[in-house]
Amino acid sequence: MLSVARQGARMPDEARIEVVEDRCQGHSRCVAIAPDLFDCDELGNVVLLGDGRVSPEALERARLAVLNCPERALVLREGGGA
Amino acid sequence: MSRSPVEDWTTDFDHTDPRWTADPYTLWSELRRTCPIAHTDRFQDGVWLPTRYADVRAIAYDTETFSSRRVVIRDRKIEPPHPAPPITSDPPDHKRLRLPLLPPFSLRSVAKLEPFTRAACEELVNALADGETCDGAQQYAQHVPVRVMCHLLGVPASDGERFRHWITEALQEGIHDMPRALRALQAINAYFREKVEACPGGTDDLIGYLLAVEPEGRKLDRDDIVAILRLLMIAGIDTTWSAIGSCLWHLATHVDDRRTLAAAFRDGDTRAVDTAIEELLRAYAPVAMAREVVRDTELGGCPMKAGSMVLLSFPAANRDPEVFPDPDVVRLDRAENPHVAFGLGIHRCLGSNLARMELRTALDVWLARIPEFELVPGEPVTWSEGTVRGPRRLPLRLLGGG
Ligand code: HEM
Ligand code: SF4
């Protein structure tokens, strides 16, 4: 288990999405797949909407965003089911 | 062209050979199995051709070894190289001219161009839809990016014909005919120099924007602006035209996919539409680029000497079975698809948001008006030669109804 428990009160097995900042080149695939999780600024860099926590309903979209990013700029940390 | 036919694709490949033009995919898959980094001495100072995703990726990311100072492979090198920033720039200079270009091509800026694009597509398709046949490449695909680029640059759409002529000279005929390539590049420069000099400033087109923008507290100089405009014209037209044409070809030859995509558009199912378009971009990625090796290196056991070139085939990477199961099968619902049609790393296609919007709009408008069409039996489809691949003649029979 990684540092997912950082948010004190949160469940330790909550999924979080992270951006490896200097890898994003603005393909905007993630925005197309999960517009509820990602946006792009005017220079094309990905912007996380919210604090990176991924709700169970959004989990599948988050997984797809990770798998489709050609720069491998997104990392999803899924809790290990406590 | 009186070039000798290729006997051994591993040591003597030729990306202008008729067999490559007719069907590169079979050649690449053969090479990937037998010799994943092929070579040829037919061009410049020797050219390497990696066909695996992993190798294409490694090269695209290693800008210190693989320079973008030359991105076109010709019989002989043009000396000195013709800079077309940012595509021919390397770090650290690359950022200087790329950054100011990003905002006009952001998702939000591009969304504003959609109504214009849709109206242009509708006008084009309305002129064709009542006929029995048409040429999908010549009468539709090629006009879409020309209209959009002219609108964006603030030049008359009637100049589009000249653009297409210059692009063919620079990128296709110019592979083997150096003076011709140079003449075309100079003609484009002269055209844009005149436009830049004549621009009163303060206009809301791209020329006005480039004259006004001050990336590091300083205006761009005129030579850079002209070079940027030349690049945008070359990079924005041929490529997108090829992508739209290839998609029409696929839809003409695959009834089920045609109906699936038309239904997705009709239902407003944007997820299904996007997934399908990304798959078409993967399978028919139109653009390969080149790099110049600037320091001796080795990749996959191949000794690459400084001065030799690499044909960086994003389209070949997109057909690598290591990353894409059944790569030669188009699956419109392919969910896992990290394709590299728009490149990888710092040179990620500046126009990718624009190209996607044009492609989506062009197909949407076409399918709404012409849902049923097929190739005209007995009439040949012809494909462009070289590093941008797409149909140049695409005779279609329009079947009416829907
Ligand atoms: C389907 C259409 C298109 C495809 C497949 C495509 C593909 C590519 C690829 C693969 C690259 C990377 C080149 C490299 O790594 O050396 C690239 C770069 C570029 N593209 Fe596109 N392109 C398309 C449309 C456009 C459009 C519409 C524009 C502009 C209006 C455009 C402008 C550029 C520019 C300026 C670069 C250089 C970016 C840089 O070096 O920082 N492209 N394109
Ligand atoms: S898909 Fe990847 S590269 Fe593209 S914007 Fe999202 S994080 Fe950045």
Side-chain angles (χ1 to χ4, degrees), chain A residues 19 23-31 38 40 44-46 65 68-74:
Chain A
V19 180
R23 281 203 199 157
C24 172
Q25 296 290 350
H27 291 257
S28 65
R29 295 287 305 279
C30 54
V31 185
F38 307 100
C40 272
N45 300 311
V46 66
N68 281 280
C69 172
E71 310 285 351
R72 300 180 194 163
L74 301 174

Side-chain angles (χ1 to χ4, degrees), chain B residues 86-87 94 98 105 149 235-236 239-240 289 291 341-343 347 349 351 355:
Chain B
I87 210 164
H94 171 255
R98 178 173 166 99
F105 292 95
M149 285 311 289
T239 50
T240 314
M289 277 286 157
R291 295 289 187 269
F342 293 108
H347 293 281
C349 177

